[in-house]
Amino acid sequence: MTRVCGSAKALSDVWRGTNRAGAGHSDTTLPAGWYKFNKYGKKLANYPVTNSYCGSTYPVFMSGLHAAEGSCKYQTIYQINSRTNLYWRGGNIYECHCNNGAFIY
């Protein structure tokens, strides 16, 4: 896990925070690989985020507790369509909680 944690690409965009209003951004063009957040909470939200926050019209959130330090686990994620449709589309993501405290996806 140390090698994977050390090679994760940093996502440092200011628009990524759950408290950052704005839309129009998407991660669909990011190449496959491991990523970590370098701003704000430094991990994927595990609660529904308001539409047009995190830089996306339809933000994504993780539905489970974060992985324990030194471990990895599959997580279910959902994309929000509206304030009343929090579970519009779902998928899975792999989350690791590195020994240095970083969360990578």
Side-chain angles (χ1 to χ4, degrees):
M1 182 189 315
T2 303
R3 184 173 52 92
V4 173
C5 288
S7 66
K9 298 173 188 101
L11 299 173
S12 302
D13 309 292
V14 296
W15 48 264
R16 291 188 179 276
T18 57
N19 62 348
R20 304 290 297 189
H25 300 282
S26 173
D27 289 334
T28 58
T29 60
L30 288 176
W34 289 97
Y35 291 90
K36 63 182 175 181
F37 298 105
N38 272 359
K39 297 272 186 192
Y40 310 107
K42 296 191 177 183
K43 55 189 170 185
L44 190 64
N46 64 344
Y47 54 87
V49 179
T50 304
N51 282 71
S52 298
Y53 273 73
C54 300
S56 176
T57 304
Y58 308 111
V60 172
F61 72 97
M62 192 175 69
S63 68
L65 297 175
H66 290 283
E69 188 166 347
S71 69
C72 300
K73 69 179 189 175
Y74 278 102
Q75 299 279 21
T76 301
I77 58 171
Y78 294 101
Q79 189 171 27
I80 297 170
N81 181 311
S82 67
R83 290 177 191 221
T84 58
N85 192 359
L86 302 179
Y87 304 98
W88 178 38
R89 291 193 288 195
N92 293 301
I93 194 168
Y94 201 62
E95 176 190 56
C96 293
H97 187 172
C98 302
N99 289 325
N100 65 2
F103 287 87
I104 62 172
Y105 304 89

